[in-house]
Amino acid sequence: MKNKIYSLSSEDYLYLDSKWNAKFRSKVLRFLEEKKVIPEDFNDLENIHSFILDKSLVDYDFNSGVNGITKCLYDIGEDLTNIYYEFLKDLYYKVGFDFYFQETPTVRVHCPNAANQNHYPRYHSDCFYGHPSQEINIWFSLTQNTNSGFHVLSYKNSKKWLEESNNDTELFIQNAISNPEFNKKGDSLAFEVDSTLDKIFLFNPLCIHTNHPRFNDTRVSIDIRINPVDDFVDGYVGKGRMKAEFKPGGKFGYHKKSIKELL
């Protein structure tokens, strides 16, 4: 399925140069300091697991794959929000089209050897959970890691693998939850995304992907979804408990204005 990302690349994914990773990193550090998650003047984000003040915050909820530090970042505050808007305005000029955007970016923190880290890997596509196929996923790291642990299949490989489950997304999800061998098949088809601090990664939401558990260092990343205004289709609702409405001003969905309207 053709996605707007093909107007930027001949592939269903691409990297763009970025000056924003370090800016987000600095704001996340200070935000976690204000929330008293980390000590004052702490800067070693890759080793946050060794210095966090409440050790229970590193542990995952098995069903959601979310830990307490990530939950602290659901409400990112004014400074991070301002950086987010500036990032999106810069992105608008790079991609050359107007878009609706996730109202709050998702900042994810993955620490090594956390409880319930066997939640991962769990291969999926965002579209399996109700996201529009018109979206573009954006992922980038705020930490300098030897490996990102973020694995993505090309659209071609994703389509082929889903066909092996008779295009039954619920069956695919259940296999990913319960069958380690199933996820190993995904590992053989996927590639690992670069986690350097001067790149952002954009990909088709139909591309199947997963995080992997960490064993040596913490990785902090951001994921964002944008939806081109010209391609927007109303009516998509998330399948999770929040029932996010993927429309401008929708509940847990997009900002009420497109990025061009915020310029």
Side-chain angles (χ1 to χ4, degrees):
M1 179 174 182
K2 291 296 182 182
N3 175 279
K4 194 75 165 185
I5 199 164
Y6 287 96
S7 68
L8 307 173
S9 167
S10 60
E11 302 287 344
D12 32 59
Y13 54 86
L14 78 157
Y15 291 97
L16 292 177
D17 292 336
S18 173
K19 63 182 181 181
W20 296 96
N21 307 46
K23 294 181 180 181
F24 275 106
R25 175 190 173 101
S26 176
K27 294 298 183 183
V28 166
L29 276 164
R30 300 290 70 85
F31 182 81
L32 291 175
E33 182 181 312
E34 291 170 8
K35 292 286 186 178
K36 302 189 184 304
V37 174
I38 56 176
E40 291 183 6
D41 301 319
F42 179 83
N43 291 298
D44 189 6
L45 202 53
E46 290 78 3
N47 288 298
I48 191 175
H49 55 281
S50 297
F51 296 88
I52 191 166
L53 298 176
D54 180 353
K55 299 298 184 183
S56 69
L57 293 177
V58 308
D59 294 333
Y60 294 111
D61 171 83
F62 178 76
N63 291 320
S64 67
V66 173
N67 63 21
I69 313 175
T70 297
K71 290 178 181 177
C72 288
L73 290 156
Y74 282 171
D75 180 6
I76 59 175
E78 185 177 358
D79 284 353
L80 261 170
T81 298
N82 289 338
I83 288 290
Y84 178 49
Y85 290 165
E86 293 305 310
F87 163 80
L88 292 170
K89 290 173 185 178
D90 183 57
L91 181 66
Y92 165 75
Y93 291 113
K94 286 182 176 178
V95 299
F97 55 80
D98 192 15
F99 53 81
Y100 300 116
F101 58 93
Q102 188 175 325
E103 185 162 17
T104 303
T106 306
V107 185
R108 301 188 190 274
V109 181
H110 294 287
C111 299
N113 305 312
N116 293 321
Q117 69 175 7
N118 58 330
H119 171 97
Y120 299 103
R122 189 177 290 189
Y123 279 97
H124 67 284
S125 154
D126 287 9
C127 295
F128 295 176
Y129 294 100
H131 282 260
S133 59
Q134 296 81 19
E135 283 185 338
I136 295 175
N137 284 29
I138 302 170
W139 182 94
F140 55 97
S141 181
L142 308 188
T143 44
Q144 189 69 63
N145 305 106
T146 303
N147 63 298
S148 71
F150 185 57
H151 291 227
V152 179
L153 280 70
S154 68
Y155 172 62
K156 179 180 178 180
N157 282 347
S158 298
K159 185 173 182 291
K160 182 178 179 181
W161 194 18
L162 181 58
E163 286 171 353
E164 294 177 11
S165 297
N166 296 317
N167 292 313
D168 185 336
T169 58
E170 292 300 324
L171 175 61
F172 189 102
I173 290 168
Q174 288 306 310
N175 280 329
I177 290 172
S178 61
N179 188 346
E181 293 303 314
F182 184 82
N183 287 301
K184 287 181 181 178
K185 172 71 178 286
D187 288 345
S188 71
L189 296 170
F191 61 92
E192 187 169 23
V193 176
D194 191 342
S195 63
T196 55
L197 291 176
D198 60 355
K199 302 285 184 185
I200 62 173
F201 181 71
L202 289 72
F203 64 101
N204 187 325
L206 290 166
C207 290
I208 293 170
H209 55 279
T210 190
N211 184 61
H212 276 65
R214 305 203 67 78
F215 298 100
N216 299 308
D217 58 0
T218 291
R219 193 206 74 209
V220 182
S221 61
I222 293 183
D223 54 79
I224 300 161
R225 291 152 190 86
I226 64 173
N227 195 326
V229 170
D230 291 345
D231 296 340
F232 175 73
V233 177
D234 199 1
Y236 285 92
V237 177
K239 294 182 179 180
R241 64 183 180 84
M242 308 301 284
K243 304 298 182 187
E245 300 170 341
F246 302 112
K247 62 181 181 180
K251 180 180 65 174
F252 304 115
Y254 304 148
H255 191 284
K256 63 184 179 180
K257 293 184 178 181
S258 72
I259 192 59
K260 188 175 181 180
E261 291 176 307
L262 289 184
L263 292 178

